[in-house]
Structures are given as C-alpha cells and as structure tokens.
Amino acid sequence: MNHSLPNATSVIPNDRIRVDLQLIADMVEPGTRVLDIGCGDGELLGYLTRSKDVDGRGLELSNEGVRNCVAQGLPVMQGDADRDLGDYPDGAFDYAILSQTLQATNRPKQVLSELLRIGQKAIVSFPNFGHWRARFDLMFRGRMPQNPNLPIMWYETPNIHFCTVRDFVALCDECGFKIERSMVLNESGSKVSLDSHSRLANFFGNQALFMLSK
C-alpha cells in the first residue's frame, strides 16, 4: 500500500496555513469539487479556493464560523455533520473533507459512510488518543489528557468519541473502506515517517490523517 504524498503544488507567496491543513491541501487535485465539513473559519477552504482553484463548499455548525467564512466570500452553509449530510446527492464532490471533527460527531461510522457517498474520496483527520502523552496522563496522572492537541478540559470539550489510529484502521476494515493514503503527525503538526498501520504510529502519532475511498 502506497502511503506517500504527492509533490506539493506551488502556492501563492505568503499564503500560509496550518501545517496539518497544508498536508490535507496537498492531497487535493486542482480544479476539483470539494466539500469541507466542519470548516471552522474557512482557513482550509479559502486556501484551496485561492491556490488550487477548487469548486469549494463548506458546512459549519457554529454561527461565528459561518459568519467568518461568508465575510471572506466563501460559500458556506450552517449545518451539522450528523444530520445534514443526507441532503447532498450521491457523488456530488470529488473530495469530502472532515478535519479534526470526527471525534465530535454523534455517529462517526455513519458520518464516514456519508462522506464516501457524497464524495469520491474522503480526507479525514483526528487527534490520536493512543499517543504516548495521552497514555501517560491516564496511566500516571489518572487524568484525562489535556495538551495542545486536546486543549479543552473534559467537562467542556465537544469531543465525545475519541479513537486511536488502530481503532480507525479497524473501522475502515469493518466497513470495507479503502485506505489510499495515511500518515501520522507529531506534536508540531509535521509528518512522521511511519506507516499508520504500525504500533509505532499509534504510539508516536499525535494526529492522524487518512484519505479513503470505497
């Protein structure tokens, strides 16, 4: 299985985005149709529109996020990944992107299925609860992890379905989803050269990033 990334395309000078979002952007072919689910303030969607000339759309739950996106001229609707993906027709997009949002959904398995119904490919990223620091906090501190990747205390976090890299791979196997590309990111958001199927990736990966297809 080939987990290597395509060569990065040229970008607009000084058009910088978060490292993990750049890795997602590098997976998207120019001129394609993209739905960014849980698009937040539009950082990734705006970058893809400017730098890769995609036909991009966004779905965002928060009022503030939608306002920020619309202020930038981005076509973003307010909606919930758990309820509103069913409104999109089959195969409407080349890519359906869900960045750092899966763990906040009520039905992650159903959401993943919807991504691959409406998109030819799904790009999904999430915090890895199997990371060594999370294990350390639970084992030696007896506390739920709190770190730059999981900054919100357990009683306020929107995250309700934590998973590990190995959990996600097992879910993909169960559902018959093909993992086309995968990687783990370290605590600075940079790519770590480990196969996402390995135990080391599950231990050292702070975040995980997958491209899926049916």
Side-chain angles (χ1 to χ4, degrees):
M1 186 177 294
N2 181 12
H3 298 306
S4 61
L5 282 172
N7 292 330
T9 58
S10 59
V11 299
I12 299 173
N14 299 321
D15 196 4
R16 303 293 183 185
I17 58 175
R18 209 171 67 214
V19 175
D20 59 308
L21 296 182
Q22 181 66 62
L23 291 170
I24 292 174
D26 289 344
M27 291 181 168
V28 176
E29 293 294 331
T32 50
R33 299 164 299 161
V34 175
L35 177 63
D36 187 2
I37 301 145
C39 59
D41 62 3
E43 182 178 8
L44 175 61
L45 184 60
Y47 177 86
L48 290 171
T49 301
R50 295 187 302 270
S51 299
K52 294 210 165 181
D53 194 30
V54 303
D55 179 6
R57 301 288 185 272
L59 186 71
E60 169 58 29
L61 182 60
S62 73
N63 290 324
E64 182 180 5
V66 173
R67 285 196 298 269
N68 287 338
C69 290
V70 171
Q72 299 173 62
L74 298 173
V76 172
M77 296 177 57
Q78 186 166 26
D80 187 330
D82 282 304
R83 296 194 306 265
D84 298 321
L85 293 180
D87 295 337
Y88 293 93
D90 296 356
F93 298 91
D94 298 300
Y95 300 93
I97 299 174
L98 190 72
S99 172
Q100 300 295 318
T101 303
L102 183 67
Q103 72 282 354
T105 61
N106 290 313
R107 297 179 295 276
K109 182 177 178 180
Q110 179 179 324
V111 169
L112 286 176
S113 295
E114 283 291 275
L115 296 185
L116 285 170
R117 181 186 64 79
I118 62 180
Q120 299 297 320
K121 299 181 189 300
I123 301 176
V124 181
S125 68
F126 56 89
N128 174 31
F129 209 66
H131 183 250
W132 70 265
R133 190 179 295 279
R135 300 183 194 211
F136 180 91
D137 286 343
L138 287 169
M139 181 174 292
F140 295 106
R141 296 181 61 239
R143 300 286 302 274
M144 288 296 288
Q146 185 182 21
N147 54 57
N149 198 40
L150 297 168
I152 305 173
M153 290 296 290
W154 66 269
Y155 49 82
E156 293 181 333
T157 180
N159 299 327
I160 55 175
H161 283 112
F162 287 112
C163 73
T164 70
V165 173
R166 295 185 70 193
D167 286 328
F168 188 82
V169 170
L171 177 59
C172 290
D173 290 343
E174 176 187 329
C175 296
F177 301 150
K178 180 182 177 183
I179 298 175
E180 296 202 353
R181 298 176 190 153
S182 62
M183 70 186 73
V184 293
L185 314 180
N186 62 22
E187 292 178 85
S188 66
S190 300
K191 179 184 174 184
V192 179
S193 298
L194 293 171
D195 188 320
S196 295
H197 288 71
S198 73
R199 291 180 182 273
L200 287 177
N202 198 41
F203 190 78
F204 290 109
N206 193 40
Q207 302 177 52
L209 174 59
F210 288 80
M211 177 186 280
L212 309 176
S213 64
K214 284 187 175 179

